[in-house]
């Protein structure tokens, strides 16, 4: 009988081991071993990533060809608009700098608060999306630090900081929720991931396709005004007070190799659900 | 020598799961390479090798994927007894590809459902339909394809499948 075979004793031993590992993990006893393992496995992962990355990108590009063509046409138009806006903004920045100088305000250098980190691996589990980066608690990274793309878009939050590496839970992870608002409009809500894409659960106000969504800072988990994405679709009836709002982020995680960790910002109360 | 080879296989599989598997997703699922390795070890190296490899694999994969190793042990635990049970149902002394594949698919389904449950307990709120169509079914497809390809490769290399029952093989 299988029930009385040696599998039974082995399964019992595995359950006992699982309980022991759970206790040791909660107590942090496994952290040094994990740090050592990640140091050993990083070169192997890097080798695999370098070998298979081009193959995956080729398949991605083939699948995306139609979308890339239409996106290219749209971006060409946008590029011209943005160039014009950029020129106007440069003038504004110059004027703002003069005003700040006049008021005696010394603006802190934002780049000093952002630690560049390399992406070691992109982890995809059931409903979960995470990154492992090459900076850890030894570099000043702490749990709760927001993580941005190199252009300043919110990517996620550090949920685990080991001495030489950290794990970042992406905004698209289904466990993530970010208090957010529509830029320049009195509308706010929560951005949630579903493991693949982003949705904006509107709590108050109106939202339209093309609106930019930024962090609101409510709850203290993120600083305000960090770009998250753009509204691409609003589903539901016009009268619907809580429509389904789909977001698109400008960040392509699959192509992201460097991120910025806001090491100067630690949420007032860090929790995994934040 | 054999233990060193298994250790190398574990390290390579975990590294591939972290670095390669996410590059080839189908819907929201990626292949579960450690599960495939366990099934192959059980079939071609004997149940003892797979029984010894499971905790090491769970520990290493847990470290690399930021998942509690205890959950991975629970996720992969049913694979070996299920495969042995299916082999016994067929009445053969050695496993063929079909029962091993069936056991791996069932174990993969269980593993993803369990890990999705862990994510739900941490705040995820997936729709049941999306869970089935974006995660469970594509995951089974990927695991099945990977295991079938690896099984054929092992057979092409001249490896013979062994009995999955530890009572016969000894522990």
């Amino acid at each position: 009988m299988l029930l009385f075979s040696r599998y039974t004793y082995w399964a019992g031993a595995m359950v006992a081991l699982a309980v022991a590992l759970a206790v040791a993990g909660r107590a942090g006893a496994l952290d040094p071993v994990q740090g050592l393992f990640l140091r050993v496995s990083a070169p192997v992962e890097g080798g695999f990533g370098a070998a298979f990355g081009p193959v995956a990108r080729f398949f991605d590009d083939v699948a995306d060809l139609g979308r890339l063509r239409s996106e290219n046409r749209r971006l060409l138009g946008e590029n011209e608009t943005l160039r014009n806006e950029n020129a106007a903004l440069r003038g504004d920045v110059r004027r703002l700098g003069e005003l700040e100088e006049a008021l005696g305000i010394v603006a802190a250098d934002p780049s000093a608060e952002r630690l560049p980190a390399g992406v070691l691996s992109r982890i995809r589990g059931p409903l979960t999306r995470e990154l492992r980066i090459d900076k850890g608690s030894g570099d000043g990274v702490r749990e709760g630090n927001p993580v941005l793309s190199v252009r300043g878009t919110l990517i996620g939050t550090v949920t685990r900081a080991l001495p030489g590496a950290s794990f970042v839970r992406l905004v698209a992870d289904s466990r993530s929720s970010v208090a957010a608002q529509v830029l320049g409009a009195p509308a706010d809500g929560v951005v949630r991931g579903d493991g693949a894409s982003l949705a904006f659960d509107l709590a108050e106000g109106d939202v339209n396709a093309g609106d930019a969504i930024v962090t609101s800072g409510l709850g203290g988990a993120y600083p305000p005004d960090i770009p998250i994405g753009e509204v691409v679709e609003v589903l539901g009836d016009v009268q619907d007070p809580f429509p389904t709002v789909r977001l698109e982020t400008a960040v392509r995680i699959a192509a992201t190799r460097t991120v910025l960790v806001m090491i100067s910002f630690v949420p007032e109360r860090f929790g995994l659900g934040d | 020598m054999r233990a060193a080879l298994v250790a190398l296989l574990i390290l390579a599989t975990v590294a591939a799961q972290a670095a390669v598997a996410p590059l080839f997703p189908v819907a929201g699922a990626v292949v579960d390479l450690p599960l495939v390795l366990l099934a192959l070890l059980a079939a071609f190296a004997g149940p003892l090798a797979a029984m010894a490899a499971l905790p090491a694999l769970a520990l290493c994969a847990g470290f690399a994927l930021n998942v509690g190793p205890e959950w991975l042990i629970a996720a992969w635990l049913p694979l070996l007894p299920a495969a042995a049970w299916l082999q016994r149902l067929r009445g053969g002394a050695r496993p063929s590809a079909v029962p091993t594949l069936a056991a791996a698919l069932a174990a993969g389904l269980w593993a993803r459902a369990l890990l999705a449950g862990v994510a739900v307990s941490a705040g995820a709120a997936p729709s049941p339909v999306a869970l089935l169509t974006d995660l469970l079914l594509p995951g089974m497809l990927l695991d099945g394809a990977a295991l079938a390809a690896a099984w054929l490769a092992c057979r092409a290399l001249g490896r013979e499948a062994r009995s999955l029952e530890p009572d016969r093989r000894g522990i």
Side-chain angles (χ1 to χ4, degrees):
Chain A
M1 283 289 289
L2 192 68
L3 273 178
F4 300 104
S5 76
R6 290 180 184 174
Y7 275 131
T8 315
Y9 303 112
W10 171 75
M14 288 301 106
V15 170
L17 178 66
V19 172
L21 285 173
V23 173
R26 301 294 178 277
L30 297 177
D31 288 358
V33 192
Q34 184 174 16
L36 185 68
F37 175 81
L38 293 177
R39 212 163 290 165
V40 171
S41 68
V44 185
E45 286 179 26
F48 277 138
F52 287 92
V55 182
R57 275 194 291 279
F58 171 76
F59 284 117
D60 275 353
D61 290 347
V62 168
D64 277 0
L65 202 56
R67 187 184 61 80
L68 288 173
R69 277 190 180 139
S70 63
E71 194 173 83
N72 191 40
R73 277 195 294 274
R74 184 176 60 81
L75 288 174
L76 281 171
E78 259 184 39
N79 188 32
E80 188 181 347
T81 312
L82 289 171
R83 276 173 186 271
N84 296 338
E85 283 180 8
N86 190 31
L89 285 171
R90 278 174 190 269
D92 289 345
V93 167
R94 210 168 28 244
R95 279 194 294 277
L96 185 64
E98 288 167 3
L99 283 171
E100 280 180 345
E101 209 173 341
L103 290 168
I105 297 170
V106 180
D109 180 11
S111 63
E113 303 170 336
R114 297 176 183 187
L115 179 73
V119 175
L120 291 174
S121 60
R122 302 169 185 88
I123 302 163
R124 211 174 166 137
L127 306 176
T128 62
R129 297 289 302 275
E130 291 182 302
L131 294 180
R132 181 151 59 84
I133 58 175
D134 63 2
K135 295 288 189 293
S137 53
D139 305 290
V141 177
R142 295 172 62 185
E143 291 181 0
N145 286 157
V147 178
L148 313 179
S149 73
V150 288
R151 289 188 175 79
T153 303
L154 183 69
I155 287 181
T157 314
V158 175
T159 53
R160 189 125 193 256
L162 298 163
S166 301
F167 289 94
V168 178
R169 181 178 295 174
L170 298 179
V171 182
D173 187 300
S174 58
R175 297 166 293 179
S176 288
S177 59
V178 183
Q181 63 184 7
V182 178
L183 184 65
D188 64 1
V190 176
V191 170
R192 294 184 196 282
D194 66 1
S197 57
L198 298 179
F200 181 49
D201 292 351
L202 191 64
E204 197 175 339
D206 293 322
V207 66
N208 298 300
D211 283 347
I213 304 296
V214 298
T215 55
S216 67
L218 292 176
Y222 298 92
D225 299 326
I226 301 176
I228 301 174
E230 187 180 293
V231 176
V232 288
E233 197 174 17
V234 182
L235 301 169
D237 192 71
V238 183
Q239 303 297 325
D240 192 347
F242 303 110
T244 302
V245 181
R246 284 186 52 242
L247 296 189
E248 192 172 85
T249 172
V251 184
R252 282 192 72 190
I253 293 296
T256 301
R257 294 184 183 277
T258 306
V259 295
L260 301 172
V261 185
M262 292 184 73
I263 53 174
S264 60
F265 181 87
V266 178
E268 290 166 21
R269 194 173 56 119
F270 176 70
L272 287 179
D274 291 337
Chain B
M1 181 66 189
R2 196 176 169 210
L5 184 66
V6 172
L8 269 178
L9 274 174
I10 288 174
L11 180 65
T13 303
V14 168
Q17 184 68 33
V20 181
L23 298 175
F24 303 99
V26 172
V30 294
V31 65
D32 192 342
L33 293 175
L35 185 79
V36 172
L37 176 67
L38 277 177
L40 290 173
L41 279 177
F44 292 103
L48 179 63
M51 289 159 83
L54 187 141
L57 204 50
L59 204 60
C60 294
F63 286 160
L65 306 175
N66 199 28
V67 180
E70 66 275 15
W71 294 115
L72 294 179
I73 289 178
W76 297 329
L77 193 58
L79 171 69
L80 301 180
W85 180 66
L86 286 173
Q87 179 198 323
R88 180 170 285 203
L89 272 186
R90 282 175 64 95
R94 289 179 173 182
S96 63
V98 175
T100 310
L101 192 68
L105 293 184
L109 200 66
W110 157 250
R112 286 187 180 80
L114 179 73
L115 295 176
V118 173
V120 167
S121 72
S127 80
V129 176
L131 202 61
L132 192 68
T133 56
D134 292 353
L135 180 67
L136 300 180
L137 294 179
M140 284 177 77
L141 180 79
L142 285 166
D143 290 353
L147 182 56
W151 186 285
L152 288 175
C154 288
R155 294 290 294 127
L157 290 171
R159 303 289 304 186
E160 288 287 340
R162 301 178 178 194
S163 171
L164 291 168
E165 294 195 39
D167 285 341
R168 292 185 190 178
R169 294 269 318 147
I171 193 166

